[in-house]
Amino acid sequence: MQGQNQQQAYDRGITIFSPDGRLYQVEYAREAVKRGTASIGIRTSDGVVLAVDKRIRSPLMERSSVEKIHKADDHIGIASAGHVADARQLIDFARRQAQVNHLRYGEPVGVETLTKEITDYIQQYTQVGGARPFGVALIIAGIANGEPRLYETDPSGTPYEWKALAVGADRSDIRDYLEANYDESMALDEGVDLALEALASVTEGGLSPEGIGIATIDVETETFGELSDDEKREHLVAADLLADPDAEESDDEDAADDDEE
């Protein structure tokens, strides 16, 4: 019984390490990320791609209100997986930091610089009593000095740079697919196709344009832009990944009713 009480103390106290050096609250935050629908980032030779699963809980919900891809600056986009409210807080922080950099230095913020500012902010919530870690992971994509960059933030406050990655549900399966099919020399459109194929590999019945989000930032223009439903449909049709409308309606009715995105 005494051992169980000690275990509970480590679980509840974000400022307390367990005897084996673990912070259980951070690990629980990672579990919250796994409950969110999948987000994917892919770095190509001429830009970066962000792709997200935007499944909704009810056919009565406005699809446009489900936001998983965000513009942080003209040249930076962010995708999220995990708790919606936590993601919005970090996105707002990222936008403020980008604006501060513009005002202070008269130039766009670097992708790596912004990522580390975000992870420094996240890390503060792993060592302060009375607060909990952010239950969300972000994929930060952008162009810096003419080079595409792709980063992940972890609930512990650690940044990682990737060539291609996935966060959220089915992360391991999607990552295996990316490892088997990723090519550093692929073009931006090929990166979009790979992201869609990776999402489809863990989704039964194909994908619908309304149920996914795609954004790209190309090296030439260094401008963030989201694909329209018609553009997404073209990619899905070309790759033979378009879902049957009847199956899509059934999926909407069966979607989980939780607070993750």
Side-chain angles (χ1 to χ4, degrees):
M1 182 65 69
Q2 184 177 1
Q4 291 179 350
N5 290 337
Q6 289 179 342
Q7 179 71 43
Q8 290 177 351
Y10 301 133
D11 281 6
R12 296 172 181 171
I14 187 60
T15 61
I16 304 173
F17 282 102
S18 72
D20 56 351
R22 298 164 65 185
L23 288 173
Y24 287 104
Q25 294 255 334
V26 172
E27 296 184 18
Y28 299 154
R30 293 193 180 109
E31 291 300 316
V33 173
K34 293 179 183 178
R35 289 176 56 85
T37 54
S39 295
I40 297 173
I42 295 176
R43 191 179 76 191
T44 71
S45 61
D46 56 356
V48 282
V49 178
L50 293 173
V52 298
D53 183 345
K54 294 176 60 177
R55 282 177 292 178
I56 61 173
R57 300 189 297 268
S58 167
L60 300 177
M61 182 181 290
E62 284 287 351
R63 292 184 182 272
S64 60
S65 68
V66 181
E67 293 184 293
K68 287 199 60 178
I69 295 181
H70 310 263
K71 178 181 176 180
D73 203 348
D74 290 338
H75 65 303
I76 297 177
I78 301 177
S80 64
H83 282 290
V84 177
D86 290 9
R88 291 186 62 186
Q89 284 293 311
L90 292 178
I91 298 299
D92 287 346
F93 175 80
R95 288 169 174 166
R96 289 196 301 270
Q97 294 305 112
Q99 292 171 0
V100 166
N101 197 89
H102 273 286
L103 292 171
R104 183 175 295 167
Y105 302 111
E107 62 183 19
V109 66
V111 184
E112 182 177 8
T113 299
L114 182 61
T115 300
K116 290 185 176 179
E117 288 177 345
I118 294 170
T119 51
D120 286 348
Y121 183 68
I122 292 171
Q123 196 276 335
Q124 294 178 31
Y125 286 80
T126 69
Q127 61 182 26
V128 177
R132 63 163 176 80
F134 289 95
V136 65
L138 304 179
I139 300 176
I140 303 174
I143 307 297
N145 299 320
E147 294 292 332
R149 307 293 293 271
L150 185 67
Y151 292 90
E152 173 194 7
T153 73
D154 180 78
S156 67
T158 306
Y160 302 96
E161 186 168 11
W162 293 81
K163 298 176 182 177
L165 79 151
V167 295
D170 303 309
R171 169 179 177 158
S172 296
D173 293 337
I174 295 174
R175 184 173 60 187
D176 290 343
Y177 188 91
L178 293 173
E179 289 176 352
N181 296 277
Y182 177 76
D183 182 354
E184 291 188 50
S185 63
M186 66 173 56
L188 196 59
D189 281 345
E190 294 173 319
V192 172
D193 291 338
L194 176 60
L196 293 174
E197 291 166 4
L199 277 178
S201 70
V202 296
T203 305
E204 295 183 5
L207 303 172
S208 68
E210 300 81 11
I212 58 174
I214 300 284
T216 62
I217 310 168
D218 67 90
V219 170
E220 184 175 352
T221 65
E222 297 190 8
T223 301
F224 171 90
E226 292 193 60
L227 271 63
S228 66
D229 284 350
D230 289 340
E231 291 172 319
K232 287 181 285 187
R233 185 179 298 276
E234 289 177 6
H235 281 278
L236 291 172
V237 170
D240 195 24
L241 299 174
L242 189 63
D244 178 69
D246 294 333
E248 179 190 345
E249 291 178 6
S250 176
D251 288 343
D252 284 345
E253 293 173 359
D254 295 337
D257 188 9
D258 55 32
D259 190 39
E260 282 81 32
E261 68 168 5

